[in-house]
Amino acid sequence: MKKFILGIESSCDDTSAGVAYGRKIVANVTANQDIHRLYGGVVPELASRAHQQNIVPVIEAALRQANISPQDLSAIAFTSGPGLLGSLLVGTSFAKSMAMALDIPLIEVNHMQAHILAHFIDNPSMKTPPFPFLCLTVSGGHTQIVQVNDYFDYKLIGQTQDDAAGEAFDKSAKIMGLPYPGGPLIDKYAKLGDPYKFKFAKPQVPNFDFSFSGLKTSILYFLQKEVKKNPQFVEENLNDLCASIQHTILDILFQKLELAAIDLNITDIAIAGGVSANSGLRERLKQKEESLGWTTYIPNFEYCTDNGGMIAITGQFSYLKGDFANNSTAASARKSLKV
Ligand code: KG4
Ligand code: ZN
């Protein structure tokens, strides 16, 4: 019999709850935290506080959307890490209490694994990758190439040595005076600009690893120099700057992704994480179907950025395995993918 699993996500600045029924997501409700815009980045203490304000209404809304009552749930899955500790504690404590009150199993979920397993949501507009496939997971905190051999069998092929791809977007946007999170704004303005207008540094990093910190510095120095000559430089060139920055970030990502695909002889390629919502990334990946013979897998927008649906589907797989957490489990800010 299919089960209803509630998934609770609170690792960063989105409070989200999703309900999985089998592999279908029947509810996915997210409260974003606008407060961080004022500060140009996520303020951990404010994020925890906002999670505490949002978590009850978000879960109530998800249960309403799924048209079920708490008693219909078979288990509660929650993000236990990686993420901001104060944020994770809110979801973890709430999930524990709710599972105890309902006397149902508790399932802990690794946030990075959930981004990958979002690909297995049964949705008519998404296709499911076959094993093994390569997944480029790009978010605000992580950038990884992972070989996915099975739902619970991963091999880390490469990762960033410093900033994540999402951070590269957000920090570049901040340098240009755009509000947080800058990734979606760079995406928006890049559509109107020339990606070849400005050239920025691309790092030389061994193997399949990435580095983005040099790019940020290169943008900063370039803009400082130009703004000295013309104080309106950013405003007058915003579209071209965004297009060129996005183009550089995508070049860095694709250079390593293509190398890894050749080296491992894998042509089923997926993307996951918040940056996979980027339209330039999605478009470039699609082009590789023709140029490199890849079959590509791109989640729907709502399952790219942090969402409870991906926690619920991951919980569903753990439930089938009987992999339950005990009540002494705790959140941890650093948590690597089990490889
Ligand atoms: O996965 P996610 O929602 O949260 C983390 O786990 O970090 O990713 C958030 C990141 C942010 O850096 C945000 O700017 C970026 O994803 N992002 C985008 C786009 N939408 C979200 N970056 C570029 N283009 C987008 N359309
Ligand atoms: Zn994420």
Side-chain angles (χ1 to χ4, degrees):
M1 206 184 97
K2 284 187 189 168
K3 307 282 182 186
F4 285 105
I5 311 279
L6 175 68
I8 300 174
E9 158 61 31
S10 73
S11 67
C12 190
D13 59 340
D14 293 317
T15 318
S16 188
V19 177
Y21 180 61
R23 289 197 187 186
K24 286 203 187 307
I25 296 300
V26 291
N28 197 26
V29 176
T30 302
N32 307 112
Q33 302 181 359
D34 281 339
I35 181 94
H36 306 291
R37 278 178 181 270
L38 296 174
Y39 300 90
V42 177
V43 183
E45 300 251 318
L46 296 177
S48 327
R49 193 165 178 272
H51 281 305
Q52 223 154 31
Q53 287 168 329
N54 293 337
I55 196 154
V56 171
V58 161
I59 290 172
E60 281 175 350
L63 294 175
R64 256 198 321 275
Q65 202 178 75
N67 202 15
I68 58 171
S69 71
Q71 285 69 28
D72 295 318
L73 293 169
S74 292
I76 297 184
F78 69 100
T79 304
S80 61
L84 299 171
L85 190 63
S87 290
L88 290 164
L89 287 176
V90 178
T92 303
S93 306
F94 196 93
K96 279 181 161 188
S97 316
M98 192 170 174
M100 273 180 83
L102 293 169
D103 196 21
I104 55 176
L106 180 69
I107 297 171
E108 70 181 291
V109 170
N110 178 305
H111 182 85
M112 300 312 290
Q113 182 184 15
H115 271 303
I116 295 172
L117 291 187
H119 282 280
F120 295 92
I121 291 170
D122 179 3
N123 187 292
S125 53
M126 278 162 60
K127 58 182 196 285
T128 303
F131 298 119
F133 66 95
L134 274 190
C135 189
L136 174 70
T137 312
V138 270
S139 71
H142 293 81
T143 299
Q144 301 179 330
I145 299 176
V146 178
Q147 181 179 324
V148 186
N149 297 320
D150 196 41
Y151 302 113
F152 294 93
D153 180 3
Y154 305 94
K155 186 171 176 203
L156 186 62
I157 305 299
Q159 62 185 331
T160 184
Q161 295 180 345
D162 41 57
D163 289 352
E167 269 180 293
F169 272 104
D170 296 339
K171 288 179 178 173
S172 307
K174 195 173 177 184
I175 295 171
M176 293 188 288
L178 296 174
Y180 176 86
L185 291 171
I186 291 191
D187 188 0
K188 180 176 149 194
Y189 297 124
K191 289 187 184 128
L192 309 167
D194 173 4
Y196 301 100
K197 180 82 180 276
F198 304 110
K199 297 259 173 294
F200 300 109
K202 282 185 215 154
Q204 300 299 321
V205 184
N207 307 320
F208 304 115
D209 284 347
F210 304 94
S211 167
F212 289 100
S213 61
L215 172 65
K216 181 186 58 193
T217 316
S218 153
I219 295 168
L220 182 67
Y221 289 162
F222 172 75
L223 289 183
Q224 279 175 345
K225 197 175 80 206
E226 294 300 327
V227 167
K228 238 185 220 160
K229 290 186 265 172
N230 169 14
Q232 305 304 316
F233 182 81
V234 173
E235 292 74 15
E236 286 170 11
N237 294 279
L238 189 61
N239 295 340
D240 292 339
L241 281 167
C242 288
S244 302
I245 290 168
Q246 179 169 301
H247 186 79
T248 311
I249 294 173
L250 298 187
D251 275 355
I252 295 170
L253 291 172
F254 274 87
Q255 190 211 355
K256 294 303 176 86
L257 185 60
E258 286 175 31
L259 279 178
I262 293 168
D263 193 67
L264 298 161
N265 197 20
I266 295 178
T267 53
D268 286 294
I269 314 289
I271 52 173
V275 180
S276 64
N278 182 267
S279 51
L281 174 58
R282 296 163 89 92
E283 219 169 88
R284 204 188 280 205
L285 190 72
K286 269 262 156 268
Q287 286 163 3
K288 303 293 174 194
E289 298 212 328
E290 201 154 300
S291 62
L292 298 176
W294 288 1
T295 309
T296 64
Y297 305 86
I298 304 177
N300 289 358
F301 281 110
E302 62 177 317
Y303 303 125
C304 285
T305 45
D306 291 349
N307 67 92
M310 71 184 193
I311 308 303
I313 189 82
T314 306
Q316 193 67 257
F317 287 116
S318 295
Y319 187 92
L320 294 174
K321 244 177 90 184
D323 189 2
F324 303 128
N326 64 43
N327 276 335
S328 60
T329 192
S332 51
R334 291 177 183 276
K335 200 165 219 188
S336 50
L337 208 53
K338 273 189 200 131
V339 286

